Each structure stands twice: as structure tokens, then as C-alpha cells.
Amino acid sequence: MTFRTPVALAVAASALLVASQASAHAKLVSSSPAANATSAAPPHIQLQFNEKLQAKFSGFEVSSKGAAVPVKVAPGKDGLSLVGTPARPLTAGVYEVKWHAVTADTHRMQGAFSFTVR
């Protein structure tokens, strides 16, 4: 029995360490427009993350039908978001947003989603 207690404690401590490291990565919490949404042309595209971003290493690109859509991306005042302003109003169609984000843990996370403008 005394052997199992230290081993169990070591396993539990390792699991907690791995869980805390995994939860330290940037995760996209929400977006506006939302993923898979259909809406009128948005004046801005906003991505909200679970942790403060390293703005210098975070951003997103927008494309439609494989062509890049010019968007000026800036960090939000809250430090948890990125806000993109299209150079021109978005026309009807499907848009893909590819994002990358870095937080204090310095791991680059990335993802993508699409939305439709009617």
C-alpha cells in the first residue's frame, strides 16, 4: 500500500501539470460574424479569445473564392480580441477567416471558420 500512494500522487501531479499546460493555449471563444452564420455585410470582423494575446504575433486573414480580401487587423482594447476592418464592404458570398494567435505561453495556435454574407 505504501508503494501505491507515492505513485498515485506522482501520477496525479503529472496529470495536473499537463492539464494546466494544455489550458494555457489561446482558444477562439467567439467571433462576429459567428462561424457558419449568414448575415448582412459586417463593418468589422471580431475574434474573441480566452487569454490576452501577444498582438505582434496574432492576426487573421480573410478570403473568398480563394482570393485574399484586404482587411486591416488590429488588437482590441481588451487585449483578448482581434478586430478586422475590410478595405471595402463585403459583397454577397462565403468568406473564410484563418486566424493565428499567441498568448503568454508563446505557443502559436491557429484555426479557421467561414461565414456567409447575403
Side-chain angles (χ1 to χ4, degrees), residues 68-90:
V69 175
V71 176
K72 181 179 179 183
V73 178
K77 292 178 184 177
D78 60 4
L80 297 168
S81 60
L82 296 170
V83 180
T85 304
R88 293 179 295 285
L90 301 180

Side-chain angles (χ1 to χ4, degrees), residues 30-104:
S30 64
S31 65
S32 178
N36 302 314
T38 298
S39 66
H44 306 287
I45 300 166
Q46 183 168 341
L47 281 60
Q48 189 74 33
F49 293 88
N50 65 324
E51 294 185 16
K52 290 217 181 249
L53 301 171
Q54 298 291 322
K56 187 176 186 179
F57 304 109
S58 302
F60 65 86
E61 297 80 36
V62 180
S63 63
S64 180
K65 298 178 187 170
V69 175
V71 176
K72 181 179 179 183
V73 178
K77 292 178 184 177
D78 60 4
L80 297 168
S81 60
L82 296 170
V83 180
T85 304
R88 293 179 295 285
L90 301 180
T91 59
V94 177
Y95 291 85
E96 182 177 28
V97 177
K98 290 185 181 178
W99 60 267
H100 56 277
V102 177
T103 59

